Amino acid sequence: MNLTENLNRLNDSMNRQLIKLGWGPKWEEAFAGLGLAGAVPGRIVADHGHKYRVTTERGEGWAELSGRLQHELTDRGTYPAVGDWIALRHMAAGEKDGIIHGILPRVSRISRRAAGSVPTEQLIAANVDVLLLVAALNHDFNLRRLERYLVMAWNSGASPVILLSKADLCEDPDQYVRETENIAPGVPVIAVSAMEDRGRDRLEALLRPGLTVALTGSSGAGKSTILNWLAGEEIQLTQDVREGDSRGRHTTTHRELFALPQGAVMIDTPGMRELQLWDDAGGGWSEAFTDIEELAARCRFGDCRHEREAGCAVKAALRSGELDPKRLDNYRKTQRELKFQAAKERSRQRSDRKTSGKKNAPRGKGEQRRRFEQELD
């Protein structure tokens, strides 16, 4: 066996932990592009605020951001998230803990607007290939909410799949599947039940080795139950929802990545009471409402607002029953929300640039002299 083969075998052995988490040639190339001497690749498997659980060739350990990286990251949306591939330097030989010195370029990012009056991005997960939008078939089922999740999914760069969970709780799951397919053109819709082992084959077909899959949805939708069902063991705690209104409590308290026996890795996320959209950089709004966009393209006037204009194909679809008025209302509502959010973000960026300009403005002669004297000392 020659030297090259020996090195390849050694690298394969060292990276076995990472290969299980989706490591491959594209990530190897991206890591090399960072040019960080002495660093090793790793993946963030859990986010606990200012500390992260990471997996490297040595196994699982804890990591924090280097001071330089903290200074370079502009806002919370640029900080590491579960699913990120990172460059890490270990604390000492043989130790698993380390310091994060770089983040590899992301292929997808799932985010929403964080709660609060100041517009900030909350990054949910990174480098997700398939995003599973989970909606329970109980009192909390809501098509309008699913439309919002689809906007987020299409903007993320991941491929959306809708899971209608707890199919054992309703008499006609297939009816819900048809209704959901009507508001999600081209998106796979799968009714699943962990209790009845329903939909497992179609779901497991998505869990190919090397892929990263994430679960998102409302509290109590059954995300952790689906994870445990696929894993074949209870790796996440679950809670029952209230019978009166089918509302759940936050069982999952942080985002975490798990390797599944099927070969893929799955990210479980805390449930959301409300999804506030962040941006439309990926054209997710048009993608989520592609049927209305196609109707609008047939309107007589290019600037048709679909209100009282003659020759409006959207209004005609409403009259014929082809288009649900509630879907059109949500189309308009999410458009207004995204435009408003974009305007607020532009305003914030202008304010940040002004503040930065003041900080970097030339200092007075007295201040310059004092700095010069300090340098001489």
Side-chain angles (χ1 to χ4, degrees), residues 90-350:
H90 288 292
M91 297 287 196
E95 286 195 15
K96 296 180 180 180
D97 298 346
I99 302 296
I100 299 171
H101 289 270
I103 305 170
L104 277 62
R106 295 163 176 150
V107 298
S108 66
R109 50 185 297 126
I110 299 164
S111 62
R112 65 170 181 170
R113 176 180 165 171
S117 57
V118 179
T120 55
E121 180 183 16
Q122 181 183 26
L123 194 57
I124 298 170
N127 301 315
V128 173
D129 300 298
V130 178
L131 181 58
L132 302 176
L133 311 177
V134 185
L137 294 181
N138 54 23
H139 298 96
D140 200 37
F141 182 76
N142 189 309
L143 290 174
R144 307 287 79 81
R145 185 192 301 131
L146 270 175
E147 288 169 344
R148 295 177 66 83
Y149 275 100
L150 281 167
V151 174
M152 178 187 73
W154 286 122
N155 274 322
S156 73
S159 298
V161 173
I162 297 175
L163 296 187
L164 302 183
S165 62
K166 306 184 181 182
D168 53 287
L169 297 183
C170 71
E171 295 182 359
D172 189 5
D174 292 337
Q175 174 62 32
Y176 284 94
V177 170
R178 289 190 293 271
E179 291 178 9
T180 305
E181 287 174 339
N182 287 336
I183 61 100
V187 177
V189 180
I190 307 173
V192 299
S193 168
M195 294 287 292
E196 298 178 346
D197 207 37
R198 174 176 179 152
R200 188 184 189 102
D201 290 345
R202 289 189 64 190
L203 186 49
E204 288 192 329
L206 303 170
L207 306 179
R208 300 191 303 275
L211 288 188
T212 298
V213 181
L215 294 158
T216 190
S218 301
S219 302
K223 299 181 296 299
S224 296
T225 297
I226 290 171
L227 172 62
N228 293 337
W229 174 43
L230 294 170
E233 59 179 314
E234 188 167 343
I235 54 180
Q236 281 283 67
L237 294 175
T238 60
Q239 289 180 340
D240 293 332
V241 298
R242 297 195 300 258
E243 291 184 7
D245 56 8
S246 298
R247 301 301 295 272
R249 287 174 287 176
H250 294 289
T251 307
T252 302
T253 57
H254 60 274
R255 301 165 190 88
E256 190 165 358
L257 182 151
F258 301 91
L260 293 178
Q262 294 85 353
V265 295
M266 179 171 281
I267 298 173
D268 192 16
T269 65
M272 301 182 196
R273 291 291 188 209
E274 180 183 4
L275 172 60
Q276 294 192 58
L277 301 173
W278 172 244
D279 63 19
D280 196 39
W285 175 74
S286 295
E287 196 72 44
F289 295 98
T290 182
D291 54 334
I292 300 180
E293 289 285 277
E294 289 173 357
L295 286 169
R298 299 204 298 266
C299 291
R300 181 183 302 176
F301 303 107
D303 59 351
C304 183
R305 294 187 297 175
H306 323 306
E307 293 176 353
R308 299 182 182 85
E309 296 88 348
C312 176
V314 173
K315 299 296 286 185
L318 285 174
R319 290 192 296 270
S320 68
E322 178 186 350
L323 178 61
D324 185 345
K326 293 180 180 178
R327 179 162 170 78
L328 180 60
D329 289 343
N330 208 27
Y331 169 84
R332 289 169 168 158
K333 178 182 177 182
T334 50
Q335 182 186 40
R336 290 193 301 269
E337 180 180 340
L338 288 165
K339 285 182 176 180
F340 179 72
Q341 169 62 26
K344 290 193 71 172
E345 177 62 11
R346 287 194 298 269
S347 176
R348 184 190 69 82
Q349 290 174 355
R350 285 195 298 269

Side-chain angles (χ1 to χ4, degrees), residues 11-82:
N11 287 334
D12 286 345
S13 175
M14 291 172 63
N15 289 333
R16 192 171 295 124
Q17 293 272 2
L18 299 184
I19 291 171
K20 285 169 55 179
L21 300 184
W23 184 255
K26 67 176 182 180
W27 296 116
E28 190 82 52
E29 183 179 353
F31 176 77
L34 293 181
L36 291 171
V40 298
R43 194 169 198 189
I44 294 179
V45 298
D47 181 355
H48 293 271
H50 294 294
K51 297 194 73 172
Y52 305 91
R53 280 219 321 276
V54 299
T55 295
T56 67
E57 62 207 26
R58 295 183 184 178
E60 194 172 294
W62 290 96
E64 297 180 14
L65 299 179
S66 69
R68 178 190 60 80
L69 190 57
Q70 287 187 56
H71 179 72
E72 290 178 353
L73 299 177
T74 56
D75 52 52
R76 291 303 303 176
T78 60
Y79 273 58
V82 173

